[in-house]
Amino acid sequence: MAEFTLELNDDQKQVRDWLHGFAADVIRPAASEWDEREETPWPVIQEAAKVGIYSLDFYAQQFFDPTGLGIPVAMEELFWGDAGIALSIVGTGLAAVGVLANGTEEQIGTWIPQMYGDADDVKLAAFCSSEPDAGSDVASMRTRAVYDAAKDEWVLNGTKTWATNGGIANVHVVVAVVDAELGSKGHASFIVPPGTPGLSQGQKFKKHGIRASHTAEVVLEDVRVPGHCLLGGKEKLDERLARARERAKSGGERVKNAAMATFEASRPAVGAMAVGTARAAYEVALDYARTRTQFGRPIIDNQGIAFQLADMRTRIDAARLLVWRASWMATTNKPFTSAEGSMSKLFASETAKQVTAQAVQILGGNGFTREYPVERMHRDAAIYTIFEGTSEIQRLVIARTLSGMPIR
């Protein structure tokens, strides 16, 4: 009988400890400063590049971990350090994954190195999908890509929003509509090379949390990109659109479910980020409760505090297990018959909000000040229930999957 284990192997432990050391020694000491500045923490990203964390090789190694735990372990440790800085470090990976998933070998070899640069000349990339009127409702996307056959160019027009590294990136990956009648199946992804005319940064958002991560609108005005910048190539796109049109006639619901399965597979990574932030806040609260005295004894001696900490730790461990299960299922191609990807993201996100709020409460007035990190962690945690699908969308996905009904 095969052995069942939840123990990380030696290689995974080594990577975890290495990342934890970087988070403790480099990320955390810089967290408060860059949160206050609300700017991209270039020195930290450069340091991450020097040691090999900010690189395609590192993320590829974690992505191809056969257990599926490489990415969630890495995300938890980096976001334990600080959510805003960690998102600045991993944000380029969103665009890189888009190219890896949809690009040709030539496109992968050409563009991904330009997304990262090297330790002496760090580059950034941005993945641009959300729009002012199309967040969860991807079928409402308005950015259009029209093919100019005479010049073998695609012309992009529209506005993207909530783009990590948007406008400051060297390479932008833009999702646009090529066939509006097919809804989300009529979308395609395009590389916008550095310095392409017509692409500009719109509004930079001043955010409640994750303030060290640059988030902005990206405006596209008659942006022309060569035909070879269509990820996957035009022949592959034409074939995919033709299949989608046929399926839309005979089984449109089946197409939608297949697309949902793709989104499901990416959500555990966000859950792991939330686990990292929740764990960080819990550890601060636990240490504070052990050392803070009131009425002559540590406050952890009071059940009201001790029970809160017990619940916090229980939720964190449960969230991690859900994330690990979904990550393992995605890697081993196990079907998400109960929307396990959404379950992991939903529970971990809500856990981060709850645990960080409890940490602020345990620290009392100190928790409400910026002298202690739980104030920042509580602000950061709010994002997890919003991006990569809100908690309401996760519940909708889970409910539809369990019931088989088109719940609205």
Side-chain angles (χ1 to χ4, degrees):
M1 180 178 293
E3 179 184 4
F4 173 78
T5 179
L6 289 173
E7 184 77 14
L8 298 177
N9 61 41
D10 289 342
D11 289 341
Q12 292 167 330
K13 290 178 181 177
Q14 185 177 9
V15 171
R16 178 199 62 193
D17 294 345
W18 172 51
L19 291 171
H20 185 80
F22 183 85
D25 297 339
V26 181
I27 293 178
R28 280 205 167 178
S32 178
E33 174 189 351
W34 292 99
D35 176 71
E36 293 285 348
R37 292 176 62 167
E38 298 191 53
E39 297 174 356
T40 300
W42 289 105
V44 183
I45 299 174
Q46 289 169 340
E47 192 64 29
K50 288 179 182 178
V51 300
I53 294 174
Y54 186 76
S55 70
L56 173 62
D57 288 344
F58 171 73
Y59 288 107
Q61 289 174 12
Q62 305 320 307
F63 183 80
F64 290 112
D65 182 327
T67 69
L69 299 186
I71 290 295
V73 167
M75 294 300 104
E76 180 176 337
E77 294 305 325
L78 291 173
F79 281 75
W80 172 88
D82 177 69
I85 291 178
L87 191 57
S88 289
I89 293 173
V90 307
T92 290
L94 299 174
V97 168
V99 176
L100 282 169
N102 301 299
T104 64
E105 290 186 8
E106 182 178 358
Q107 289 170 331
I108 292 170
T110 298
W111 294 111
I112 292 184
Q114 295 187 48
M115 293 180 173
Y116 285 93
D118 55 44
D120 297 322
D121 187 19
V122 171
K123 306 294 185 182
L124 296 177
F127 184 74
C128 307
S129 178
S130 294
E131 298 185 1
D133 296 319
S136 299
D137 184 12
V138 294
S140 296
M141 187 176 294
R142 295 182 179 179
T143 298
R144 295 291 190 264
V146 178
Y147 185 58
D148 183 344
K151 296 183 177 180
D152 186 27
E153 291 179 339
W154 289 89
V155 185
L156 279 62
N157 282 281
T159 299
K160 295 296 182 178
T161 193
W162 309 122
T164 299
N165 299 331
I168 66 170
N170 302 88
V171 178
H172 291 76
V173 177
V174 177
V175 182
V177 177
V178 294
D179 188 329
E181 294 182 357
L182 293 176
S184 62
K185 301 302 291 184
H187 297 173
S189 296
F190 300 85
I191 292 284
V192 181
T196 300
L199 183 146
S200 62
Q201 178 184 308
Q203 175 187 6
K204 177 186 175 182
F205 296 103
K206 297 182 71 67
K207 304 188 298 294
H208 175 65
I210 56 167
R211 301 197 304 192
S213 174
H214 176 96
T215 310
E217 291 181 334
V218 174
V219 180
L220 304 137
E221 296 179 310
D222 291 330
V223 173
R224 286 183 169 268
V225 298
H228 61 76
C229 287
L230 166 65
L231 289 181
K234 193 168 187 306
E235 181 178 348
K236 183 178 179 180
L237 172 65
D238 290 340
E239 292 175 356
R240 178 167 63 81
L241 294 178
R243 290 195 302 269
R245 293 183 188 107
E246 288 300 317
R247 288 173 178 172
K249 294 177 183 177
S250 59
E253 188 66 27
R254 182 169 64 90
V255 173
K256 184 175 67 176
N257 289 340
M260 186 60 69
T262 300
F263 287 119
E264 277 283 273
S266 69
R267 285 171 175 153
V270 179
M273 298 173 187
V275 171
T277 298
R279 190 183 111 212
Y282 158 77
E283 290 175 1
V284 173
L286 177 62
D287 182 66
Y288 186 89
R290 284 170 169 166
T291 57
R292 173 69 167 172
T293 59
Q294 289 286 288
F295 305 105
R297 61 179 182 175
I299 62 174
I300 199 170
D301 282 356
N302 300 307
Q303 285 187 4
I305 300 296
F307 284 7
Q308 280 195 73
L309 289 162
D311 287 344
M312 292 159 74
R313 177 59 186 267
T314 300
R315 285 187 65 94
I316 291 167
D317 282 12
R320 183 184 298 109
L321 290 173
L322 284 171
V323 166
W324 282 17
R325 179 184 69 167
S327 300
W328 171 78
M329 291 177 70
T331 297
T332 55
N333 295 316
K334 304 291 183 183
F336 286 146
T337 56
S338 299
E340 288 86 352
S342 283
M343 282 185 183
S344 70
K345 199 269 183 183
L346 170 65
F347 191 81
S349 298
E350 295 292 341
T351 291
K353 284 190 68 174
Q354 180 174 328
V355 167
T356 55
Q358 287 177 296
V360 170
Q361 192 70 22
I362 289 172
L363 269 67
N366 287 326
F368 199 65
T369 72
R370 295 188 183 181
E371 297 300 316
Y372 287 81
V374 293
E375 181 271 340
R376 184 181 67 252
M377 294 169 183
H378 183 43
R379 287 188 285 107
D380 291 342
I383 192 60
Y384 299 123
T385 61
I386 298 172
F387 72 176
E388 194 73 16
T390 64
S391 288
E392 291 74 20
I393 289 294
Q394 307 308 322
R395 292 186 175 97
L396 187 63
V397 171
I398 296 166
R400 284 177 174 175
T401 303
L402 296 177
S403 68
M405 301 295 289
I407 298 169
R408 298 183 182 275

